[in-house]
Amino acid sequence: MVELRLLGPVELSVLGRTTEVGPPQRRTVLAALAVDTGRPVPADALIRRVWGTDPPDGARRALHAHVARLRRLCEQTEDAGPSRLRLVRRSGAYLLEARADQVDIHRFRQLAGRAREPGRTDRARAALLREALGLWHGEPLAGLDGQWAAQVREAWRRQHVDAAVAWAQAESRGSDPVAVIGPLTELLDAYPLVEPLTEALMRALHAAGRSAEALDCYAAVRKRLAEELGTDPGAELRKVHEAILRGGLAESVARPVSAVPVPAAAPPRPAAAAAAWPGTAPVQLPMGVRGFIGRGAELAQLEDTLASAADQPSAVVITAVSGTAGVGKTALAVHWARRAQRSFPDGQLYVNLRGFAPGGSVMSPAEAVRGFLDALGVPPARIPAGLEAQVGLYRSLLAGRRVLVVLDNARDAEQVRPLLPGAPGCLALITSRRSLTGLAATEGAQLLTVGMLAAEEGRELLVRRLGVERVTADPDAVREIVGRCAGLPLALAIVAARAAAQPELPLAALAEELRLADRRLDALDGGEASSEVRAVFSWSYQALGPDAARLFRLLGLHPGPDAGLPAVAALAGVPAARARVLVAELVRGHLLTEQPAGRYAFHDLLRAYAAELVTTHDSDDTRRAAAHRMFDHYLHTAHRADALLTPRPSPAPLPPARPGAAAEELSGHRQAQAWFTAELPVLLAAVEQAPAAGLYSHTWRIAAALTTYLDRHGNRRALTAAHTVALEAARHRGDVVGQAEAHRGLGLAEDRLVRPDAARTHYLRALELFGAVGDHAGQARIHQHLSRMSEAQGRHQQALGHAHDSLAHHRAADDRAGQSAALNHIGWILAQLGDHRQALAYCREALEPARETGDLNGQAHIQDSLGYIRHRLGEHAEAVDHYQQAIDLFHQTGDRHSEASGLGCLGDIHAATGRPLPARTAWTQALAITAGLGLPDADPLRAGLLDRLGHAPADAAPAPARPRPAPD
């Protein structure tokens, strides 16, 4: 009836209801007592556990205050009878009186210990361990900082993984190995270097008749160990691998977890998993708000919604939360979603739809669903072209699962409808400044309106941030502050931040400033904010130094939704080191939020305030110069990243960047990919917004730099949208090269959508425009596109003519990488026409310029072509060598599909030359890659591999598909 939970957030449950414990320090005190339930803990030991070895002067006084609050909390359990809690003081120590099984960590250890007792059956052992693992509901001691909490957390993780391994082995021996494969896979993704987990998963896969996947699992962990620790798998894991290869595997007891530190991760579900995701189950919820208070009625309504889901087995449950800007809709949604995580074991998806973002950078449904497919692990090659097909795939992946989908900051019902899951068991939680009554009428959504905080809740928020003593010292000032902030949590949070930063400032002085405020934040949507909110913003702004204040204003020019430090430096025209100092000042003042991976974002209200300030306080010349620097930074970095993806000269050399707008330093293919991935929303918004800043050339140039990345990631919708804007901008300025580049991008998008007539129209228009200005590099690329498209239609002679034209223009442009691609393409087409000797000569000639320019992807495709040609000529040893080089290069550049195809062809050669074991090894490795890519069994490449390994579906293709030469 009374439970203390430490295996997740520290919580006290009384008669089935969770009781608020208090701030993190008080929760740490409670945890420090609970781990020694029934034993006295000296006060000095408690202080060390909470504050570390160098506690502040007031630590003992604070400890006494926390203990007094916890004692009153324990008194609330008196009605629970024998299961009540008592906190007593004994000779300078404190003792928490409770039964061991009332504290989840002790209950977990009891169950795990009983499972280890001799004489138990595997079925009984599995049941005990399943119950033990079910006690975990997140990261242990979640939200608690400090060395003691970190040390305890790491020790408990090891115990958790030990129990998971023991459960998996008992379940497998008890004739249910399939039940453990999903949970073990999830746990191994979280702890990839823990060898006993790999061993348990391999045993389960082998017992389930999936030995090939067990061998793939071993190969993956061997590679990780080599790359991250520089070591090989241990003896036990190697024995399991060898036994599976021999076809026999004896059972053994679970081994203890190795000494490798175990990072934080969600626990596995000890139950049978549904069909495997393309990737791991997504956990995308943002961090919760520190010191969340109130909203009891709203949280209760959300809990009722969740409970009612069981009564609606044929419908998706939808709740739409609405309220004014800054009222805490997102905080409420995220707080409840984190509490409800255990009810959605198959994952939690989250997206900020930016429905009311200044500057029009609203996220489209297509962009959002694409993000969800990426989060669900769907490879780009499997993502269909159209929005309708993408939505269908997204909903198919959620079918039969329990997933929470949080759609934050929606503009209207039309924006969210395509993102709603289609299967029962899922729940969609939507926040918006508008009441989405359309969803209630058509989808049966339940509507929840979030109002302002009540006066007592506003006071409690200040208590949480400033401490009870300071708040109770001047109740009149507190009442006025709460009233003038109109119950708006965002405004109260900023007041509290200022007060905390100036502990000597009386709260009455803050109340007086609010009383005298007479300005309004007119730029906000619908006049939602009061004059007091503007005044609160102005406090933080006016407290800034001149340089930080200038940066805050200039950030109002950024297209959003967030920015990296180099872009911030360019916007301000200062070195990165100085920008870091200024950004830290903005973060401390709660005017900017630091996001993961060193990125920074505004709340929408603050973005509007910054945009208003920059218009009011900065001249037109200042704004134009800052915007020009920012767009220069993005353009030159995008151009550099694009050159790393495909080395070749730009059809139109870039004008120099303005001083202070340095491009980011990128080295290598992977850094370029990572930069594009992080900056993609910003770059697409920049394409949209550059014309309004008068930077028409930046519009089409950024779109052109994005082309290769968007094409390789299958993002045809974004490719079309960017080049549509680019074409309009280039036409506005009469820029012939810009128009040609835009037509090239639109042609490529239509080509990938298998609309050859529309693609050819754009390609021919681009060819005409490039020809008009004598741009050989541009003409070469268009002929390359036309050659590849003709080849796909079976028009090999026409394709050969375009390939020769491409080579001629590449030579005229002195583009060595382009010449290499064209030579390889000519060789490939000749091989399809049966002229293998001439094909060999062209492909061999292609190698030198590819190596000279460092084009690894081009080299990989050339080696692949050479392997194909040598195989057709009967020169098998040479073919094997070429394919192996191609495979290594594809692996290095991250082209996994081509790597799998090359392995399939390598296996074919081994099989043709009477070497069945190397053939099977190559095919098995290729099959593992296709599984990682999420290719269906009917895919030609995967079906051919399954056929070779002897377990293909009836409609399996006869051979693995081969990659064509790189098109760009």
Side-chain angles (χ1 to χ4, degrees):
M1 299 180 70
V2 178
E3 294 177 280
L4 264 174
R5 300 172 185 153
L6 309 182
L7 300 178
V10 176
E11 294 177 338
L12 173 63
S13 175
V14 181
L15 302 176
R17 300 190 63 180
T18 300
T19 300
E20 181 64 41
V21 174
Q25 277 189 0
R26 191 173 306 146
R27 296 201 302 274
T28 306
V29 173
L30 180 58
L33 290 164
V35 296
D36 286 315
T37 296
R39 296 192 298 269
V41 183
D44 288 341
L46 284 174
I47 289 173
R48 283 195 301 274
R49 291 178 181 183
V50 178
W51 286 279
T53 56
D54 187 21
D57 292 338
R60 191 171 298 273
R61 184 171 61 254
L63 174 66
H64 293 160
H66 287 310
V67 168
R69 291 289 186 96
L70 291 173
R71 188 176 285 123
R72 288 198 290 273
L73 199 64
C74 291
E75 290 170 358
Q76 297 175 22
T77 70
E78 291 293 332
D79 294 340
S83 66
R84 68 181 182 276
L85 303 180
R86 294 184 63 219
L87 178 55
V88 298
R89 182 178 175 86
R90 291 186 181 174
S91 304
Y94 295 97
L95 181 145
L96 181 65
E97 292 184 348
R99 297 195 314 270
D101 63 0
Q102 290 179 258
V103 183
D104 56 4
I105 181 62
H106 300 311
R107 175 68 176 159
F108 169 83
R109 289 169 174 163
Q110 287 176 344
L111 292 165
R114 287 170 57 194
R116 290 193 297 269
E117 291 173 358
R120 291 198 182 276
T121 65
D122 284 324
R123 186 179 297 276
R125 184 174 288 109
L128 288 166
L129 291 168
R130 189 183 304 114
E131 182 181 353
L133 293 170
L135 296 171
W136 288 70
H137 49 100
E139 180 186 47
L141 305 181
L144 303 191
D145 298 323
Q147 185 178 7
W148 174 80
Q151 291 172 341
V152 170
R153 192 178 290 124
E154 182 173 341
W156 290 359
R157 288 177 190 143
R158 287 200 176 95
Q159 296 171 30
H160 174 216
V161 176
D162 268 335
V165 170
W167 164 73
Q169 294 204 347
E171 201 81 77
S172 296
R173 287 193 299 267
S175 74
D176 192 11
V178 175
V180 310
I181 292 173
L184 280 181
T185 301
E186 294 176 13
L187 197 58
L188 187 60
D189 285 338
Y191 310 141
L193 302 179
V194 179
E195 293 187 37
L197 279 176
T198 305
E199 182 181 329
L201 178 57
M202 289 174 66
R203 289 180 179 276
L205 288 166
H206 176 70
R210 295 157 64 175
S211 299
E213 293 179 52
L215 296 175
D216 297 339
C217 180
Y218 176 82
V221 79
R222 180 176 62 181
K223 179 183 174 185
R224 281 196 297 267
L225 288 167
E227 291 178 346
E228 298 186 36
L229 300 180
T231 187
D232 292 323
E236 289 295 325
L237 192 55
R238 292 199 304 271
K239 288 178 183 177
V240 172
H241 177 245
E242 292 165 4
I244 293 175
L245 287 173
R246 290 194 305 267
L249 181 62
E251 296 296 339
S252 67
V253 297
R255 292 193 292 127
V257 174
S258 67
V260 177
V262 179
R269 286 185 294 123
W277 292 102
T280 57
V283 183
Q284 293 189 313
L285 295 177
M287 293 289 291
V289 175
R290 182 177 67 86
F292 181 89
I293 59 100
R295 305 304 189 196
E298 291 88 345
L299 289 169
Q301 184 172 336
L302 289 170
E303 292 294 338
D304 290 344
T305 298
L306 180 59
S308 69
D311 300 327
Q312 303 180 55
S314 62
V316 175
V317 178
I318 306 166
T319 296
V321 179
S322 61
T324 191
V327 80
K329 301 180 295 296
T330 299
L332 170 66
V334 171
H335 182 78
W336 178 83
R338 286 192 161 276
R339 280 180 28 172
Q341 273 182 285
R342 283 182 292 171
S343 298
F344 300 97
D346 292 312
Q348 304 90 44
L349 295 168
Y350 171 90
V351 64
N352 178 4
L353 295 171
R354 309 194 299 266
F356 298 87
S361 60
V362 178
M363 181 179 288
S364 69
E367 185 181 352
V369 77
R370 173 61 191 247
F372 283 167
L373 292 175
D374 287 340
L376 294 170
V378 181
R382 266 197 67 196
I383 296 178
L387 174 61
E388 186 175 347
Q390 290 177 1
V391 171
L393 176 58
Y394 158 65
R395 289 174 174 164
S396 297
L397 288 171
L398 299 191
R401 299 183 181 278
R402 301 187 66 189
V403 175
L404 175 64
V405 181
V406 181
L407 306 174
D408 192 20
N409 198 11
R411 187 169 188 83
D412 51 36
E414 294 307 311
Q415 188 185 22
V416 300
R417 278 196 177 97
L419 307 177
L420 298 176
C426 296
L427 186 145
L429 180 59
I430 306 162
T431 73
S432 177
R433 294 186 194 176
R434 296 171 176 166
S435 182
L436 304 180
T437 54
L439 287 180
T442 57
E443 277 78 19
Q446 300 183 44
L447 303 181
L448 171 60
T449 301
V450 180
M452 302 297 183
L453 291 175
E456 186 56 34
E457 291 173 329
R459 180 184 181 279
E460 181 61 22
L461 186 151
L462 295 178
V463 169
R464 294 276 181 93
R465 304 291 180 94
L466 302 177
V468 65
E469 292 182 5
R470 191 172 181 189
V471 172
T472 55
D474 194 343
D476 292 339
V478 169
R479 276 194 295 273
E480 185 166 5
I481 288 172
V482 171
R484 292 194 175 276
C485 284
L488 193 69
L490 177 63
L492 285 165
I494 296 178
V495 171
R498 183 180 176 197
Q502 298 176 275
E504 75 288 348
L505 182 68
L507 295 183
L510 297 178
E512 183 178 5
E513 287 189 41
L514 282 172
R515 191 183 316 128
L516 298 176
D518 59 358
R519 299 170 59 199
R520 289 188 174 275
L521 192 55
D522 303 320
L524 295 178
D525 182 45
E528 292 173 328
S530 66
S531 60
E532 288 82 1
V533 174
R534 178 196 288 281
V536 169
F537 289 172
S538 71
W539 285 350
S540 293
Y541 171 72
Q542 291 168 7
L544 298 172
D547 291 345
R550 172 179 174 270
L551 175 59
F552 176 75
R553 298 194 304 272
L554 293 179
L555 282 168
L557 303 173
H558 191 273
D562 53 21
L565 188 66
V568 173
L571 184 65
V574 299
R578 179 58 180 162
R580 183 177 287 106
V581 172
L582 299 178
V583 162
E585 186 175 348
L586 295 179
V587 171
R588 286 195 301 272
H590 293 261
L591 290 171
L592 206 60
T593 301
E594 186 170 4
Q595 305 290 330
R599 302 186 68 80
Y600 301 90
F602 277 129
H603 185 283
D604 286 353
L605 296 182
L606 288 166
R607 183 181 292 277
Y609 182 53
E612 180 184 277
L613 287 176
V614 76
T615 302
T616 304
H617 295 286
D618 295 279
S619 67
D620 291 345
D621 289 344
T622 298
R623 293 196 302 273
R624 277 195 295 268
H628 205 140
R629 286 193 304 269
M630 175 184 65
F631 283 110
D632 273 358
H633 164 79
Y634 282 122
L635 171 58
H636 282 262
T637 310
H639 184 265
R640 180 173 294 178
D642 183 45
L644 288 170
L645 296 186
T646 306
R648 64 186 50 204
S650 169
L654 294 181
R658 289 197 168 194
E664 289 192 43
E665 293 294 332
L666 303 174
S667 60
H669 189 278
R670 291 188 179 180
Q671 278 197 12
Q673 287 275 10
W675 186 84
F676 271 129
T677 300
E679 299 289 356
L680 183 60
V682 182
L683 294 170
L684 293 174
V687 170
E688 293 280 347
Q689 296 179 30
L695 300 174
Y696 297 97
S697 174
H698 287 69
T699 303
W700 72 259
R701 290 180 187 275
I702 293 175
L706 275 167
T707 301
T708 297
Y709 175 84
L710 292 174
D711 178 47
R712 290 185 184 176
H713 286 73
N715 202 337
R716 284 90 181 188
R717 186 175 294 273
L719 189 62
T720 301
H723 282 288
T724 299
V725 176
L727 182 59
E728 183 178 345
R731 283 173 173 166
H732 180 81
R733 294 297 298 270
D735 191 324
V736 176
V737 174
Q739 293 177 58
E741 278 292 327
H743 278 296
R744 185 181 85 84
L746 291 170
L748 191 57
E750 296 289 359
D751 194 357
R752 298 303 193 229
L753 291 168
V754 197
R755 294 198 282 251
D757 292 340
R760 187 173 296 277
T761 298
H762 283 295
Y763 283 153
L764 293 177
R765 179 57 177 155
L767 191 62
E768 178 186 351
L769 291 168
F770 280 131
V773 294
D775 189 331
H776 289 289
Q779 293 175 81
R781 297 179 87 174
I782 299 301
H783 278 298
Q784 201 162 322
H785 293 322
L786 289 167
S787 177
R788 186 196 46 72
M789 193 167 70
S790 297
E791 183 205 335
Q793 295 170 332
R795 302 172 181 173
H796 290 95
Q797 290 295 342
Q798 186 181 74
L800 190 60
H802 282 301
H804 278 291
D805 288 341
S806 177
L807 177 60
H809 284 294
H810 278 308
R811 284 174 170 161
D814 196 23
D815 181 354
R816 297 285 285 160
Q819 292 172 43
S820 173
L823 287 165
N824 181 47
H825 201 178
I826 291 170
W828 172 253
I829 298 169
L830 288 170
Q832 306 310 299
L833 292 170
D835 192 349
H836 296 112
R837 286 297 174 189
Q838 192 174 2
L840 183 64
Y842 273 100
C843 290
R844 291 174 67 176
E845 186 182 350
L847 266 179
E848 182 183 350
R851 288 169 175 163
E852 175 188 314
T853 57
D855 187 356
L856 297 183
N857 191 261
Q859 293 175 50
H861 280 285
I862 295 166
Q863 293 290 354
D864 182 88
S865 297
L866 287 168
Y868 176 85
I869 296 166
R870 294 285 194 182
H871 184 29
R872 294 304 180 275
L873 288 171
E875 299 170 357
H876 300 304
E878 293 85 350
V880 167
D881 181 62
H882 286 303
Y883 273 127
Q884 191 59 62
Q885 290 186 64
I887 291 162
D888 293 343
L889 286 165
F890 282 134
H891 183 80
Q892 189 175 344
T893 62
D895 190 343
R896 300 288 282 164
H897 190 282
S898 295
E899 181 185 355
S901 180
L903 281 165
C905 295
L906 181 63
D908 291 347
I909 298 176
H910 286 314
T913 54
R915 303 179 67 205
L917 185 57
R920 189 169 189 84
T921 300
W923 291 333
T924 301
Q925 291 173 349
L927 189 66
I929 293 173
T930 64
L933 290 171
L935 300 182
D937 286 352
D939 176 85
L941 174 58
R942 183 168 172 82
L945 292 166
L946 289 167
D947 182 47
R948 281 154 178 73
L949 290 167
H951 43 269
D955 59 349
R962 296 190 65 263
R964 291 193 299 270
D968 202 20

